[in-house]
Amino acid sequence: MSIVSYVVIALALGISNMLLFHRCGEATPVRLSIGLFYTLLVSAVHVLFFYLGNLLGSLLSLDSPTEPHLYDDIIAYIFLGIIVAVVVKMLAPYLRREPRLPLFNLGDIKSVLAMAVATGINVLLIGVGIGFASTSFNLHKILWPLLIVSLLLSYLGLMFGRQKVQLHPRRWMVVASVLLLGTAIAACVNAV
């Protein structure tokens, strides 16, 4: 997978974090210095989950010793299936008439750690899919795009939440879902 795919996936996950921190920052406003620490903590946990998922996916990936590109199409379809499952899981709560979205207390560090782990499951699954789909393992492609984009968008969401700036969460989540699906479809097209 190219660096562009990693950046697009990082944007989609960063948008999801932005919406989460917007909700939580609106409900329990915290000082921006503490908010920066919380967003860095959540982004670091997500990067760790993404890395672990990538390792797990590369271990489970199918390959043939005689013909290296034998299973490329099957691997791309597995990646597409994982992405579709994650997109449905992320988008379904936003499509309800009255969405019941998760809300975490930013005043408590345990709640922030629980938020990082709970939202990191989607990141772990996407990492497993990328581990399946990518042929090479590059730590810098995994680490930097997700850490930087997630940190910036999470902090932006926290600032918007503190100021009670109106976001349209359904639209933003649709954009994140389209970004994820576009990456998976591009991987399928490239594999065939």
Side-chain angles (χ1 to χ4, degrees):
M1 293 183 76
S2 68
I3 187 69
V4 175
S5 299
Y6 286 96
V7 170
V8 170
I9 288 172
L11 276 172
L13 294 173
I15 289 171
S16 177
N17 283 348
M18 179 181 73
L19 296 175
L20 177 67
F21 272 100
H22 179 267
R23 275 193 316 273
C24 296
E26 196 172 31
T28 56
V30 293
R31 288 191 358 235
L32 287 179
S33 57
I34 294 174
L36 180 62
F37 172 70
Y38 288 163
T39 55
L40 182 63
L41 178 70
V42 170
S43 299
V45 169
H46 284 187
V47 167
L48 177 67
F49 277 33
F50 194 63
Y51 176 74
L52 292 175
N54 207 316
L55 280 177
L56 183 63
S58 64
L59 290 174
L60 296 173
S61 184
L62 307 170
D63 57 349
S64 171
T66 58
E67 196 174 329
H69 299 291
L70 180 65
Y71 298 114
D72 282 354
D73 54 345
I74 296 169
I75 289 170
Y77 291 131
I78 291 172
F79 177 52
L80 179 64
I82 291 172
I83 292 294
V84 166
V86 170
V87 164
V88 167
K89 184 176 179 274
M90 285 172 51
L91 190 60
Y94 288 91
L95 297 179
R96 294 183 184 153
R97 185 166 296 173
E98 297 208 13
R100 290 174 298 193
L101 301 170
L103 194 62
F104 297 91
N105 180 11
L106 292 181
D108 183 22
I109 188 72
K110 293 177 188 172
S111 178
V112 174
L113 286 172
M115 174 176 67
V117 172
T119 58
I121 300 301
N122 290 338
V123 179
L124 179 74
L125 291 173
I126 291 172
V128 169
I130 288 180
F132 264 104
S134 65
T135 55
S136 64
F137 185 80
N138 188 343
L139 180 65
H140 295 292
K141 284 183 182 178
I142 295 168
L143 178 70
W144 298 116
L146 183 61
L147 183 65
I148 292 169
V149 171
S150 179
L151 178 65
L152 292 176
L153 289 179
S154 298
Y155 196 59
L156 183 70
L158 181 70
M159 287 190 295
F160 283 164
R162 287 182 74 236
Q163 297 294 323
K164 308 253 190 283
V165 174
Q166 179 64 34
L167 290 181
H168 300 284
R170 186 174 294 150
R171 291 180 192 166
W172 281 106
M173 190 51 73
V174 167
V175 168
S177 301
V178 167
L179 289 173
L180 285 174
L181 285 174
T183 305
I185 291 170
C188 288
V189 169
N190 289 339
V192 174

